[in-house]
């Protein structure tokens, strides 16, 4: 896959990054979202060092990502329980139906 170089701006600094052809819009959306989060961190923490702002933002994003993964795992487990209950109910109903036919 071919890549092209794109310019993105984060905290008023310009960066050149490689981007697969056809993914320019997705990269720009990601850069815009990241820049917004960096700005929020900068304003909330009053930090001025770009590296510290980046690290704090990365930690916050990772924390949110892990929390979302845990939430999703809990939802998946609940759904799996419901599916097992439904399967058991269906199997019970089918077994009862077979038993009634065999009488």
């Amino acid at each position: 896959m071919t890549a092209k170089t794109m310019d993105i701006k984060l905290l008023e600094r310009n960066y050149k990054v490689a981007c697969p052809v056809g993914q320019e819009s997705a990269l720009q959306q990601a850069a815009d979202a990241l820049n917004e989060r960096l700005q929020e961190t900068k304003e909330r923490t009053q930090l001025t060092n770009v590296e510290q702002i980046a690290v704090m933002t990365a930690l916050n994003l990772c924390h949110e990502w892990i929390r979302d993964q845990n939430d999703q795992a809990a939802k998946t487990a609940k759904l799996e329980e419901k599916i097992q209950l439904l399967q058991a109910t269906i199997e019970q109903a089918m077994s009862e139906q077979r038993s009634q036919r065999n009488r």
Side-chain angles (χ1 to χ4, degrees):
M1 182 174 265
T2 337
K4 74 182 250 186
T5 302
M6 278 188 60
D7 291 317
I8 61 169
K9 193 172 195 174
L10 301 170
L11 290 177
E12 304 302 321
R13 292 181 179 201
N14 293 313
Y15 297 89
K16 288 191 179 297
V17 295
C19 178
V21 173
Q23 295 296 310
E24 298 87 358
S25 177
L27 175 62
Q28 189 59 57
Q29 282 182 304
D32 292 344
L34 177 57
N35 191 53
E36 186 176 318
R37 294 299 298 267
L38 290 165
Q39 290 289 355
E40 288 170 5
T41 299
K42 182 179 179 182
E43 291 168 12
R44 189 176 65 250
T45 63
Q46 302 298 313
L47 293 171
T48 56
N49 181 291
V50 174
E51 185 175 302
Q52 289 177 327
I53 294 167
V55 168
M56 291 302 298
T57 302
L59 285 170
N60 287 331
L61 288 169
C62 286
H63 175 264
E64 291 170 16
W65 181 64
I66 289 169
R67 185 192 62 216
D68 290 347
Q69 279 187 316
N70 291 338
D71 290 348
Q72 189 61 40
K75 288 177 185 177
T76 299
K78 283 183 181 180
L79 284 174
E80 287 172 351
E81 285 178 31
K82 288 179 182 182
I83 289 169
Q84 288 175 351
L85 180 61
L86 284 170
Q87 285 176 326
T89 303
I90 291 168
E91 288 171 8
Q92 171 94 27
M94 291 175 69
S95 177
E96 289 173 5
Q97 191 176 33
R98 277 189 231 113
S99 293
Q100 289 176 357
R101 275 192 255 154
N102 292 335
R103 290 184 186 176

